[in-house]
Amino acid sequence: MSYASSSRGLSARRTNIQVAAIVFGIIFLVIGVLGFIPGITANYSALYFAGYDSEAVLLGVFQVSILHNVIHILLGLAGLWMARSNSSAKTYLIGAGVLYLLLFIYGLIIPLNGAANFVPFNWADNWLHLGLGAVMIILGFVLGSDTARSSSGSRGSPGEGSIPN
């Protein structure tokens, strides 16, 4: 008997925190790939490996570079990989959230037209980093605590990981 062919599909076995990690992983992958597509990234001819002089802007708003796009792709792959378990999905959401809050602070401190802006960031990136960081950390703690409560209090209903008599 195969349990993978339930009518609810594969998502029936994923927790909310795993789904959140998958969603963020997909979002970061898409953003990273879109940063390499002319037209979606304005000033594509000014897309440089790194540095504030990379004048390419994703969706005409967010300053990007090759390094910036590669980081998004790697962060997306990490999200998909870490979504395999509840604990690693929680670690991903909180860890990446903290990283984004640190990037927000870094973006506030550095001169945006200086060598320290090597990724590069602009003001739109900074505010996006603040929002992403806050949402990811909140989801990591809220959904992580839901997972801990549900797994410690019950063994699940028949058919959810158990073999019927």
Side-chain angles (χ1 to χ4, degrees):
M1 175 187 285
S2 172
Y3 291 103
S5 62
S6 106
S7 62
R8 294 187 298 180
L10 294 175
S11 65
R13 289 191 248 145
R14 292 192 179 102
T15 61
N16 288 336
I17 197 160
Q18 289 174 298
V19 171
I22 290 168
V23 167
F24 276 99
I26 291 170
I27 288 170
F28 288 126
L29 272 175
V30 168
I31 289 170
V33 170
L34 290 178
F36 289 114
I37 300 176
I40 295 174
T41 299
N43 297 332
Y44 188 79
S45 61
L47 178 70
Y48 301 130
F49 178 75
Y52 72 92
D53 53 346
S54 180
E55 296 176 4
V57 281
L58 179 63
L59 304 173
V61 178
F62 304 102
Q63 189 174 6
V64 294
S65 66
I66 294 170
L67 176 63
H68 204 152
N69 294 335
V70 169
I71 290 170
H72 282 129
I73 290 170
L74 292 174
L75 193 59
L77 292 172
L80 295 177
W81 178 259
M82 294 180 78
R84 297 176 345 141
S85 75
N86 291 331
S87 62
S88 63
K90 180 177 181 177
T91 300
Y92 170 73
L93 289 172
I94 294 171
V98 167
L99 173 67
Y100 271 106
L101 289 182
L102 291 173
L103 288 174
F104 168 70
I105 293 168
Y106 183 74
L108 292 178
I109 295 171
I110 62 166
L112 295 180
N113 60 349
N117 191 11
F118 64 94
V119 172
F121 306 132
N122 61 13
W123 282 107
D125 290 305
N126 286 341
W127 291 112
L128 181 62
H129 292 160
L130 174 63
L132 283 171
V135 168
M136 291 178 83
I137 290 171
I138 290 168
L139 286 175
F141 281 114
V142 170
L143 298 178
S145 66
D146 286 348
T147 303
R149 263 188 266 124
S150 66
S151 65
S152 66
S154 74
R155 297 182 70 144
S157 62
E160 292 180 346
S162 64
I163 299 173
N165 293 334

